[in-house]
Amino acid sequence: IEVFELPEKTVLAKKGQFNWFFYIVLEGKIIYNRHEFKDMEMFGSEAFGELSNFTLVDDLTFSKGKYAKLSILNFYKFYNSQSKREKSNDMFAQADLRENVENRLKMIKLSNLHHLFKVAVYSKWDFCLTYYLPMNLYFTLKIFFKYKVYENEYEGELLKQKEIWDKVNCKFINRLIFTFQDKYAFYFLFEFHKSTNLFTFLRHQRGLTCRQVAFLAANILLIIEAFHKELILCRCINPSHLYMKQNSYLYLMDIEYSKQLDNKESRTRSIVGSPHYMSPESIRNIPYSFGYDFWSFGVVIYELFCNSVPFGEHTADTLDIYIEIDQCNLRFPEYLMEKEFDHARDLISKLLGKSKEFREFANISTNLKSHEFFRGIIWEQLSEEKMDSPFQRSEMLLFNENKA
């Protein structure tokens, strides 16, 4: 708890900002939305009420005097350290508790979720960290404000997203717990993991070993397999959508570009996705199917080795990226030409070939899982997150000890 003395009419936070703190008036008063808080009253107690109260609807002003300030997040950290009921935040880490946890999750209500802070803000939604006091658990909450949804005619896409989240079932895909709505927004409640964005992680690495890349790539292949099993095009395979947990296993955070297909022979022409990871077929407006995801898979494997994408690395212009993907040949840096990388080069070359034949007809079990590059992967153990990680725990803690 921090104590401050302030001069007359100090604005603590402006209208439209997010409320991160509890404020206790020691001397003077706080004025907010025509209400006054004074004489040991606390502003910020709405943290225990409706989620929508966290965005300030008026300037938060303090008259001359003294007040105490406490971070909402620090409050919950303190509560957790004192709680005798403290449990692992990974709610499914202990199999014997799973059924009990599942039953208790069914009782969650939107009004019981304590909104801590925004993790990210996007054009279509906000991503927030929330806390559920009765179970001492954190969650991530995806908030689609209704005025944005209706203005952009996004209702259909939102429904399709929910249907896909409900279908895919894989440890490596972030789990949707519940959906809610109130008069302000639609809410998607997800599991929370202490994790690091894969893109950020890679930018702090000097180079990964073949074993490390194979391990991460195998994680991604299981994600693709889970989507294709349900006849769903993922189209979200890139490091910005992938997160690495403290055990170094990956999970997919978002499915905004995913599409349900009618059958195995179905094709689509949608030009959708992150430009650097889009297949040549999609940018040429040629009907494509699951091969799109295998192209993205090849790009990510290349990026894991080289810390750069194979096409369009030095441009942010979408058209220039498309031209490079369509016209430039795949090149490997000199060190990847060494013999120890033979199997990696072979796999990447097949996935990123200009001809779509391998990608379109690739079978995950026979063509990919059995590839020599994945020789050290024990797929049954990997799928249960029981395979030993090639990363040292100290490497992981450096990046995700304090990150959501």
Side-chain angles (χ1 to χ4, degrees):
I1 296 178
E2 299 175 273
V3 177
F4 295 88
E5 290 191 33
L6 294 174
E8 186 74 26
K9 293 185 178 180
T10 301
V11 177
L12 301 174
K14 292 187 176 182
K15 178 180 177 180
Q17 290 184 341
F18 189 76
N19 178 29
W20 297 66
F21 301 99
F22 296 119
Y23 298 97
I24 302 171
V25 181
L26 303 178
E27 297 175 7
K29 61 185 176 182
I30 287 177
I31 303 170
Y32 174 72
N33 199 23
R34 300 181 182 178
H35 294 283
E36 293 184 356
F37 299 83
K38 53 187 178 180
D39 299 331
M40 297 304 292
E41 289 183 333
M42 181 172 70
F43 174 82
S45 58
E46 69 277 9
F48 299 100
E50 290 292 332
L51 181 145
S52 58
N53 290 343
F54 277 83
T55 299
L56 297 176
V57 297
D58 190 16
D59 288 351
L60 183 61
T61 306
F62 189 75
S63 67
K64 184 178 180 180
K66 184 185 297 184
Y67 76 98
K69 182 174 74 171
L70 170 65
S71 160
I72 294 173
L73 183 57
N74 286 341
F75 169 80
Y76 284 119
K77 285 182 179 179
F78 172 78
Y79 175 84
N80 288 343
S81 68
Q82 301 299 315
S83 174
K84 296 180 180 179
R85 299 179 293 120
E86 186 167 1
K87 302 170 183 175
S88 167
N89 193 57
D90 185 345
M91 65 189 74
F92 304 119
Q94 303 178 52
D96 58 327
L97 294 177
R98 179 171 182 135
E99 183 176 352
N100 181 46
V101 169
E102 291 282 359
N103 290 334
R104 294 183 68 189
L105 283 176
K106 294 176 182 177
M107 297 185 290
I108 292 180
K109 296 180 181 179
L110 183 61
S111 58
N112 298 138
L113 294 171
H114 309 315
H115 190 166
L116 299 182
F117 61 85
K118 291 182 181 180
V119 177
V121 177
Y122 301 97
S123 59
K124 292 181 179 178
W125 64 80
D126 291 0
F127 226 14
C128 302
L129 179 65
T130 64
Y131 182 74
Y132 183 53
L133 188 63
M135 294 182 69
N136 191 25
L137 290 175
Y138 292 93
F139 298 93
T140 51
L141 192 68
K142 200 173 185 178
I143 306 173
F144 299 87
F145 290 103
K146 287 186 174 180
Y147 77 92
K148 290 185 180 180
V149 172
Y150 297 141
E151 280 180 4
N152 296 284
E153 299 180 350
Y154 194 60
E155 307 97 297
E157 284 188 57
L158 206 56
L159 182 59
K160 288 177 183 177
Q161 276 197 33
K162 183 183 182 305
E163 290 173 350
I164 290 174
W165 279 118
D166 288 340
K167 269 192 173 184
V168 290
N169 183 22
C170 174
K171 277 181 175 286
F172 303 91
I173 302 170
N174 204 26
R175 183 181 175 218
L176 177 65
I177 306 295
F178 274 132
T179 56
F180 311 93
Q181 67 169 306
D182 60 16
K183 64 182 180 180
Y184 303 101
F186 301 102
Y187 306 90
F188 284 36
L189 185 71
F190 293 93
E191 285 181 285
F192 167 77
H193 304 278
K194 279 189 175 181
S195 57
T196 300
N197 179 260
L198 183 59
F199 180 86
T200 304
F201 179 77
L202 290 177
R203 293 307 179 265
H204 287 84
Q205 298 299 304
R206 294 183 178 178
L208 301 180
T209 66
C210 265
R211 184 165 170 257
Q212 289 173 328
V213 173
F215 176 83
L216 296 177
N219 279 236
I220 298 169
L221 190 55
L222 291 181
I223 294 171
I224 295 172
E225 184 178 45
F227 278 91
H228 292 189
K229 181 180 177 182
E230 299 296 336
L231 302 179
I232 298 169
L233 268 174
C234 180
R235 300 192 297 196
C236 293
I237 300 300
N238 69 71
S240 294
H241 286 109
L242 293 162
Y243 283 73
M244 184 182 284
K245 295 185 284 188
Q246 286 187 319
N247 62 3
S248 75
Y249 279 83
L250 299 179
Y251 69 96
L252 183 69
M253 176 69 89
D254 199 16
I255 61 164
E256 63 174 318
Y257 302 131
S258 298
K259 180 181 178 67
Q260 177 72 61
L261 298 181
D262 295 329
N263 53 61
K264 291 182 179 180
E265 287 70 43
S266 294
R267 297 290 186 270
T268 183
R269 288 178 180 266
S270 311
I271 303 178
V272 172
S274 300
H276 288 97
Y277 304 88
M278 292 172 63
S279 69
E281 304 83 70
S282 64
I283 63 177
R284 293 175 191 154
N285 202 24
I286 297 172
Y288 64 88
S289 183
F290 300 116
Y292 182 113
D293 289 335
F294 294 132
W295 173 276
S296 302
F297 183 45
V299 174
V300 173
I301 297 176
Y302 184 100
E303 192 171 1
L304 291 172
F305 276 116
C306 304
N307 220 342
S308 64
V309 292
F311 306 105
E313 169 64 21
H314 300 295
T315 180
D317 183 84
T318 301
L319 182 58
D320 289 342
I321 295 168
Y322 288 170
I323 291 172
E324 286 202 33
I325 291 172
D326 186 45
Q327 299 179 4
C328 295
N329 293 321
L330 176 65
R331 294 181 179 180
F332 293 100
E334 187 175 345
Y335 75 90
L336 272 185
M337 300 305 294
E338 297 177 9
K339 186 173 179 57
E340 65 176 297
F341 299 107
D342 284 353
H343 297 315
R345 287 198 315 276
D346 178 72
L347 178 59
I348 294 170
S349 297
K350 287 177 177 177
L351 293 169
L352 299 184
K354 292 304 179 184
S355 170
K356 66 177 183 178
E357 296 306 311
F358 179 82
R359 294 191 297 276
E360 283 297 299
F361 299 104
N363 181 285
I364 289 179
S365 296
T366 58
N367 299 115
L368 296 175
K369 284 186 175 179
S370 60
H371 193 280
E372 283 296 310
F373 179 63
F374 293 115
R375 177 184 288 183
I377 301 298
I378 305 171
W379 292 99
E380 294 78 10
Q381 291 184 12
L382 185 78
S383 64
E384 295 297 323
E385 296 189 0
K386 293 180 179 178
M387 181 177 161
D388 290 340
S389 166
F391 293 91
Q392 298 294 323
R393 180 169 173 78
S394 58
E395 293 179 273
M396 301 309 306
L397 289 177
L398 176 63
F399 294 103
N400 60 23
E401 183 65 31
N402 296 308
K403 294 188 179 183

